[in-house]
Amino acid sequence: HVVPFVGRYVSPVVLARSDPMPKGKDQYIVTKAGIGPAKIEMAELTWRGKAYPTWQALAQDCCGLSSSGAHLPLGTSGLADSVLRPGQTVAVMGYPRVPASSATWKKLEEALQAVRFKICYCSVFNQCWLTHGPTLHPQQVKRCPVAKVPYNG
């Protein structure tokens, strides 16, 4: 029977990590590795144990970013209720490295060491996994938990 074989031996893997870019921009990415699509059922962004609905809210706490984003313009995107195909990468947060924002992005760069991005995703066979970042060994779960504070970009 094919379904148990696929579920037992081949899980779709979703990796979340910081990714420095050339040309003066850094980003935090989510990548779909493995075979088959991954349905993202839940995403939760935390820093030092506190959950945040957005990167802007996190940057206000960690780095003194104003609510207008004037000191560090962040580009963000949502993730929950989306489907990632094999090999697809989504930049959930990106920020420019410009002289006017250098002090703020240095703080954000340090804060990223303590950022956790919990993601729960399911295969097309409705088998689900929970990951907390860049790991090739996600935890299989019966169903995705509800985020305390859902990440929405």
Side-chain angles (χ1 to χ4, degrees):
H1 195 266
V2 174
V3 174
F5 176 81
V6 170
R8 197 170 300 135
Y9 298 104
V10 182
S11 68
V13 177
V14 174
L15 307 169
R17 64 186 171 87
S18 179
D19 185 36
M21 297 289 296
K23 299 183 183 177
K25 185 176 181 180
D26 285 339
Q27 59 186 4
Y28 197 90
I29 62 171
V30 173
T31 300
K32 167 60 182 76
I35 63 169
K39 300 181 292 182
I40 308 297
E41 301 287 337
M42 183 276 293
E44 186 177 63
L45 174 68
T46 61
W47 177 65
R48 294 186 177 171
K50 180 179 176 184
Y52 294 89
T54 64
W55 284 98
Q56 287 89 350
L58 184 150
Q60 286 174 17
D61 274 6
C62 77
C63 312
L65 180 71
S66 70
S67 59
S68 69
H71 295 98
L72 182 68
L74 293 176
T76 64
S77 65
L79 192 61
D81 298 323
S82 62
V83 177
L84 299 181
R85 67 184 181 281
Q88 182 177 2
T89 294
V90 175
V92 293
M93 185 271 291
Y95 59 96
R97 287 180 175 242
V98 294
S101 64
S102 64
T104 306
W105 63 251
K106 282 182 183 178
K107 289 179 188 176
L108 183 58
E109 201 169 58
E110 290 172 13
L112 286 175
Q113 302 305 310
V115 166
R116 298 292 172 261
F117 206 70
K118 181 168 42 172
I119 300 171
C120 191
Y121 56 97
C122 301
S123 72
V124 294
F125 300 112
N126 289 320
Q127 294 173 314
C128 301
W129 292 268
L130 185 63
T131 186
H132 296 271
T135 179
L136 294 176
H137 304 287
Q139 172 190 359
Q140 190 164 12
V141 294
K142 289 186 180 188
R143 65 176 182 250
C144 290
V146 175
K148 293 176 187 174
V149 179
Y151 169 75
N152 58 30

